[in-house]
Amino acid sequence: MRFNTYGGAAAAMAADLVNLGRGGAFDRDQVATVIHRHAPTLPEPTGPEAARIMQWTQQLDAAFGDMPQQRRVDVINALLQQAASRPMISMHDNQPPHLHYAGEGEGIVNRVRAVTATGLAYVLCDEGGHRLGRCADDRCAVVFIDISKGGNRQFCTTRCANRVNAVRHRARQRAMAMAG
């Protein structure tokens, strides 16, 4: 599975920021680390900017998981509208012309909003909404971008998959024991 820059790194940034927000407490350095991992050219946020970015993740979260396609389109369209991105062609650092979705002069909060909303839109349009996953383990709420070849990933990690499969196996064994 190969995504373009916005569909891959930007959508992965959206997922990582949502997951960071699930942990409850976060600090500016954690937010900066996630942003830098996926978009190293973006500036580091201040404390208040990091808090605003984490507020944005509550809205990003709604784009992940199993839902009807029209619902996902509506959610991502609302994100795009709130992000108010303005696509423009950019040439910098000896790179060929490419699209940016927020101007260099815009603050980090607006740039993260534009990039993450656009990244989710690219994944939806290029690869299908089912690639915007949420762990199928009811005790886990981790979101992820499914980059598997078949696009049928259900769990965030093998650990969650093993836990759910073990519970199912024990339930089947109990049902067989009661029936037999």
Side-chain angles (χ1 to χ4, degrees), residues 18-174:
V18 168
N19 291 330
L20 178 60
R22 291 201 184 292
F26 62 88
D27 63 32
R28 185 204 66 80
D29 291 339
Q30 291 171 308
V31 175
T33 298
V34 169
I35 291 169
H36 184 73
R37 182 180 321 130
H38 300 290
T41 60
L42 289 179
E44 287 196 13
T46 64
E49 289 169 333
R52 289 179 53 214
I53 289 168
M54 293 311 293
Q55 288 172 344
W56 171 245
T57 66
Q58 296 169 5
Q59 295 169 29
L60 292 174
D61 181 58
F64 291 89
D66 190 30
M67 69 184 73
Q69 189 79 318
Q70 185 59 55
R71 171 73 181 131
R72 191 180 320 275
V73 167
D74 293 344
V75 167
I76 294 176
N77 274 336
L79 292 170
L80 289 167
Q81 191 171 42
Q82 290 176 53
S85 63
R86 290 175 297 285
M88 66 190 77
I89 299 170
S90 179
M91 289 179 39
H92 57 85
D93 302 327
N94 295 321
Q95 294 182 5
H98 57 280
L99 286 173
H100 278 221
Y101 291 89
E104 293 286 323
E106 291 194 42
I108 181 68
V109 175
N110 289 341
R111 291 172 74 184
V112 167
R113 288 170 67 127
V115 167
T116 53
T118 302
L120 295 176
Y122 268 104
V123 171
L124 171 63
C125 294
D126 290 352
E127 301 298 333
H130 66 282
R131 298 278 186 175
L132 300 172
R134 184 177 307 275
C135 187
D137 183 347
D138 293 337
R139 294 168 290 187
C140 180
V142 169
V143 301
F144 56 87
I145 307 300
D146 181 357
I147 59 170
S148 68
K149 186 174 180 179
N152 56 2
R153 183 173 161 195
Q154 295 178 20
F155 299 95
C156 63
T157 62
T158 304
R159 182 178 180 187
C160 279
N162 288 343
R163 183 174 39 234
V164 168
N165 289 330
V167 167
R168 289 176 185 162
H169 175 72
R170 286 191 293 272
R172 281 192 307 273
Q173 285 186 324
R174 280 192 302 270

